[in-house]
Amino acid sequence: MKRISKDKVIYTFSPSHEPAEKVHPGEFILFETEDAFGGQVKGEETPPDKLDWSRVDGATGPVYIEGAEKGDTLVVYILDIKLQDRGAIAVIPGYGGLSHLDFNPKAKVVRIDRSFIYFGDLRIPQKPMIGTIGVAPEEGEIPTGNPGRHGGNMDVSELGVGTRLYLPVFTRGALLALGDLHAVQADGELCVSAIETPGEVLVKVDLIKGKQPAWPILETLDSFQVIAAGKDLDEASKNAAEAGVKALMKSRGISFEEAYMLGSLVLELKINQVVDPLLGVRAKLPKELVKIDDFLE
Ligand code: CA
């Protein structure tokens, strides 16, 4: 198993980054991660509007996967997520789904145990998830705070232990990086942050050669989900739904019109987040109707 220290942090996904480590398909990798605030929110007195933004939204990596080439799919098995016992959340004027309202900056530090987070006198079941996980684009660089076809800051509440993520590979070695763990986050991530905490993520990686999805695909126990992004929720919904309907056409051998109708009955559009530089929507299909190959071209 390869361990990637959280000192190996990137703030952009880019083919020009030096790999932190090289692994082979089938290998296990343990990523240590800092929280999305870069560890800057230490207590309720921390002024969250004074954060050093150059240290926010880091991802640990990147890891070079031997044999990965443009046109392939990187499969990431999310095997375990360990959280620290404290997390932080903050609201910052001008940010989040209610950025049009007037409010004050405020931070909150919460206790996390094996099962719950403690928000004031409320106990909320924890549901650990990975906010940011992605690969390098073919050229240029994409800030780690953005979601896109390469993955990135997708903030999908269901991207937790036991799931698999299928990422399109754009560059030799794929250059996988991840971070931004949340102890719990609801769909939408309304206030711009969730329960942000450092931790460790154990994954195994594998490759599917010569074909890839248009957008990252999440596989859960009972679903496949197209994770799309767009400049607004309309565009993100269209991107997610189009890939979902195409998968239905392929899996059922039916016309666009038939698959479009079927989509109304079985394809669920869910909001990932409404707070990042691009907004995120996922199209969720039951496993009875599609398999991973239906999303790959
Ligand atoms: Ca995030």
Side-chain angles (χ1 to χ4, degrees):
M1 184 184 71
K2 300 274 173 58
R3 173 183 284 265
I4 318 297
S5 156
K6 66 179 174 187
D7 307 338
K8 304 287 188 187
V9 61
I10 55 172
Y11 297 94
T12 60
F13 287 98
S14 167
S16 61
H17 289 315
E18 200 59 37
E21 188 63 82
K22 292 190 173 188
V23 306
H24 288 91
E27 272 197 83
F28 294 88
I29 316 166
L30 186 74
F31 289 86
E32 297 176 358
T33 63
E34 183 52 273
D35 72 42
F37 296 122
Q40 296 179 84
V41 178
K42 300 203 183 298
E44 317 225 331
E45 68 287 353
T46 303
D49 55 336
K50 302 284 193 301
L51 296 180
D52 173 358
W53 288 92
S54 72
R55 291 168 55 200
V56 167
D57 283 331
T60 303
V63 173
Y64 184 102
I65 289 87
E66 300 280 3
E69 294 172 301
K70 182 186 171 189
D72 296 344
T73 298
L74 180 65
V75 190
V76 187
Y77 298 78
I78 314 299
L79 301 176
D80 196 20
I81 299 177
K82 284 198 169 61
L83 304 177
Q84 288 196 356
D85 58 2
R86 276 158 51 98
I89 183 167
V91 293
I92 303 164
Y95 287 87
L98 298 178
S99 58
H100 61 293
L101 300 180
D102 282 331
F103 57 90
N104 297 316
K106 183 174 172 61
K108 186 183 277 290
V109 171
V110 307
R111 186 164 67 87
I112 301 171
D113 67 15
R114 289 168 64 92
S115 308
F116 297 96
I117 70 102
Y118 297 84
F119 187 95
D121 58 1
L122 272 182
R123 200 175 68 160
I124 299 173
Q126 65 161 263
K127 192 180 171 194
M129 53 159 277
I130 303 169
T132 299
I133 175 168
V135 294
E138 187 172 3
E139 55 188 24
E141 54 181 11
I142 301 174
T144 42
N146 288 27
R149 292 185 189 272
H150 69 295
N153 191 13
M154 298 181 287
D155 288 321
V156 171
S157 62
E158 296 182 78
L159 211 170
V161 173
T163 65
R164 294 177 193 181
L165 183 66
Y166 300 83
L167 290 165
V169 175
F170 300 105
T171 189
R172 194 176 296 272
L175 298 179
L176 174 70
L178 63 83
D180 185 26
L181 302 184
H182 297 162
V184 60
Q185 179 217 300
D187 277 354
E189 201 187 11
L190 183 63
C191 89
V192 83
S193 53
I195 301 299
E196 313 285 343
T197 180
E200 292 181 354
V201 180
L202 179 66
V203 307
K204 190 180 86 162
V205 290
D206 216 336
L207 286 175
I208 299 171
K209 295 296 292 179
K211 48 189 175 180
Q212 64 181 193
W215 293 91
I217 305 293
L218 177 66
E219 178 179 354
T220 69
L221 201 58
D222 58 3
S223 69
F224 283 102
Q225 306 182 22
V226 180
I227 305 173
K231 66 180 187 308
D232 52 30
L233 287 177
D234 288 355
E235 187 178 277
S237 299
K238 285 175 179 161
N239 288 338
E242 185 180 329
V245 166
K246 279 185 180 167
L248 284 173
M249 288 171 66
K250 194 169 165 187
S251 79
R252 314 306 294 170
I254 55 180
S255 67
F256 171 79
E257 291 77 10
E258 289 277 330
Y260 197 11
M261 287 191 272
L262 184 56
S264 257
L265 313 181
V266 302
L267 183 154
E268 290 188 83
L269 287 173
K270 295 193 170 280
I271 293 174
N272 305 330
Q273 50 74 26
V274 295
V275 299
D276 292 330
L278 295 173
L279 305 198
V281 170
R282 63 193 190 276
K284 185 171 182 177
L285 286 165
K287 267 187 175 172
E288 289 78 23
L289 294 182
V290 284
K291 51 193 184 310
I292 185 59
D293 215 41
D294 297 322
F295 296 92
L296 306 181
E297 289 174 359

